[in-house]
Amino acid sequence: MEYRVYSARWVFMAITSIHVFCVIFMMYCYAGINNVITAYFQTTPFFIDLLATWAIFMSAVSLPVLALFKDNSSLRNQIISTIACIIIGSIFGAIGFSNRKWFYVVLGSQTFFGISSAINLVIQISLPANWFPAHESATVVGVFWASCSLGQAAAAGILPFIIGSMDATEPESSFLKVKMVFLIVNGGIAFLHLLTGILSWFYLADHSPSPPSASQQYILKQKTNQKSPNTEMLISNIKLIAKVHRNREYSLLTLAHLLAFSVVILTKILVTSVFLETFSNITDDDVAGIRLIGLLASVPASIAVGKIIDKTKNFKELTLTGISKSNNGPGCNVLLCVRIVY
C-alpha cells in the first residue's frame, strides 16, 4: 500500500502550537506580576500562586479521565474540545478582571485552561501519529514543546513589562491598566480561537486520507474491525493502563519524570514570590528577565532535540541525557511523548 503525507498536516500542527502557546501563557502569566495582581484583587500572594497551581492540578486530574476514554474521542473532537475550553476560560477571565472582587471567577477560568492543557498533551501524541510519518514525529513533538516554552517566555516577559510594578502614588490608574490589559488579552485569545475553531470544524479530519505509515494503517484497521461497547472499551483501557504500570522501566521513568516535573513546575510558579520575599532590592521586571533567558534558550533546544531523535532514534541515551542534565529539560519531555507515538 502507498503511504502518503499531506501538506495540511503543517497547518494542523501550527493550529495546535497556537493552542499550546495560549494555554501555557494564561496558566503562567500571573506569576511574573504577582504583587500587582495581589494588590488588584486585594488578596495574598498565595492565592495568586494558586491560579497556576489550580490549572496544573485540573490538568493532572483530567489526564487519567482522557486516558480511560481515549477510544471515544477522535482527534478532531479533541481539538474542538480544547478550543471550546480556551474560549470559555478566556470569557471567564475577562469577566473576573472586570471587577476587583471577582478573583474566584478568574480562578474558575483556570479550570478550563487546565483541562485544555490536558487535552493538548493528548493531541501532541495523536496528531503526529495520525498525520505525520515516523521520521517527522519527534520534530512535531519538539515544535509543541517549543510552543510551550515560548508561552512561558511570553508570560514571563510581556505582561511584567507592559503592566510594570505597582505605582503607589496612583493606584487607581494602575488598577485600570491591569483591568484593560487582561480584558484585551482574554478577548484576543477568545477571538483567535474562535477563528481556529471555525477552521478546525470545517477542514480538520481525524486522520489523513491515506495513512502516513504502516503502523498507522494497522491502528486504523484495528479500530475498524474492533468496535467494542463503551463498557468493554473502558475495562480494556483500565487493564491496559494497569499492565503498562507493571513494567518496571516505565514506572521508574514515570516516577523520575513526575518528581522532576513537580520541582520545575513549583519553581516556575513560586520563583517570583521567593525572589521578591528574599531580595528587597529587585522588582518583578528583574525576575522576569531571569526567567526569560532560560525559557528562550529552551525553544530552539526543543526543536533541535526532536530533529536529533528523528534522525538517530537513540531514545534511551537521549532520555538519560535529558534527565541527568536538567532533570526535566525539553529533551526529556519530547522523548516521553515520542515514545508514546511510536
Side-chain angles (χ1 to χ4, degrees):
M1 179 178 178
E2 179 185 5
Y3 302 115
R4 293 184 58 191
V5 292
Y6 298 82
S7 57
R9 70 191 189 279
W10 300 111
V11 177
F12 302 147
M13 184 195 75
I15 289 174
T16 303
S17 297
I18 292 171
H19 300 162
V20 172
F21 172 88
C22 291
V23 168
I24 294 299
F25 177 85
M26 292 308 300
M27 286 172 64
Y28 289 99
C29 67
Y30 306 108
I33 48 175
N34 188 299
N35 64 339
V36 177
I37 305 300
T38 297
Y40 182 82
F41 284 114
Q42 299 172 299
T43 183
T44 64
F46 167 81
F47 284 99
I48 305 307
D49 290 334
L50 183 63
L51 289 171
T53 308
W54 180 252
I56 294 166
F57 172 75
M58 289 306 303
S59 179
V61 170
S62 302
L63 279 170
V65 178
L66 293 172
L68 289 175
F69 295 96
K70 63 182 179 64
D71 297 310
N72 296 77
S73 179
S74 63
L75 173 62
R76 182 173 180 271
N77 288 339
Q78 290 167 6
I79 291 180
I80 291 174
S81 296
T82 196
I83 291 171
C85 286
I86 293 170
I87 292 174
I88 295 171
S90 298
I91 292 172
F92 270 80
I95 293 172
F97 272 95
S98 67
N99 190 312
R100 292 179 59 198
K101 296 181 180 180
W102 290 353
F103 168 80
Y104 288 100
V105 178
V106 178
L107 184 62
S109 74
Q110 293 297 88
T111 300
F112 294 98
F113 287 121
I115 295 171
S116 179
S117 176
I119 300 173
N120 283 340
L121 286 171
V122 176
I123 294 171
Q124 289 174 34
I125 297 168
S126 56
L127 179 62
N130 286 328
W131 277 89
F132 287 81
H135 67 274
E136 292 178 350
S137 296
T139 301
V140 177
V141 174
V143 170
F144 291 150
W145 278 101
S147 302
C148 177
S149 296
L150 200 58
Q152 293 179 50
I158 294 177
L159 292 184
F161 291 113
I162 292 177
I163 295 176
S165 300
M166 201 73 189
D167 188 350
T169 61
E170 297 183 12
E172 290 304 320
S173 175
S174 297
F175 293 149
L176 180 60
K177 182 191 286 187
V178 171
K179 177 179 178 179
M180 293 309 299
V181 165
F182 278 98
L183 286 176
I184 292 170
V185 167
N186 282 287
I189 289 176
F191 179 72
L192 175 63
H193 285 81
L194 182 62
L195 296 180
T196 61
I198 294 171
L199 182 64
S200 300
W201 181 272
F202 287 104
Y203 296 104
L204 179 63
D206 294 330
H207 48 77
S208 57
S210 176
S213 63
S215 58
Q216 184 59 23
Q217 180 190 3
Y218 174 78
I219 292 171
L220 291 174
K221 186 177 179 180
Q222 290 290 102
K223 287 183 177 179
T224 303
N225 295 338
Q226 298 178 354
K227 291 188 176 180
S228 307
N230 289 337
T231 305
E232 290 183 18
M233 200 173 292
L234 180 61
I235 295 172
S236 175
N237 287 338
I238 293 173
K239 289 180 179 178
L240 177 61
I241 293 171
K243 180 180 178 182
V244 168
H245 282 83
R246 284 197 297 268
N247 181 290
R248 187 179 64 179
E249 288 79 7
Y250 175 85
S251 297
L252 288 173
L253 184 59
T254 301
L255 179 61
H257 184 70
L258 171 66
L259 294 174
F261 199 68
S262 299
V263 172
V264 172
I265 290 297
L266 283 173
T267 303
K268 290 174 181 176
I269 295 171
L270 300 177
V271 64
T272 303
S273 299
V274 171
F275 268 76
L276 292 174
E277 289 288 335
T278 306
F279 306 101
S280 59
N281 59 332
I282 68 170
T283 65
D284 282 342
D285 292 348
D286 298 323
V287 181
I290 294 170
R291 291 189 63 211
L292 196 58
I293 294 171
L295 291 167
L296 289 176
S298 69
V299 173
S302 297
I303 300 174
V305 168
K307 283 285 187 182
I308 293 170
I309 296 169
D310 276 333
K311 187 175 181 180
T312 65
K313 309 300 183 188
N314 292 330
F315 298 109
K316 181 178 179 179
E317 294 81 357
L318 287 168
T319 300
L320 292 173
T321 302
I323 294 174
S324 64
K325 292 294 183 183
S326 63
N327 284 337
N328 194 47
C332 185
N333 291 321
V334 173
L335 278 155
L336 286 169
C337 288
V338 173
R339 288 302 296 267
I340 299 172
V341 172
Y342 280 94

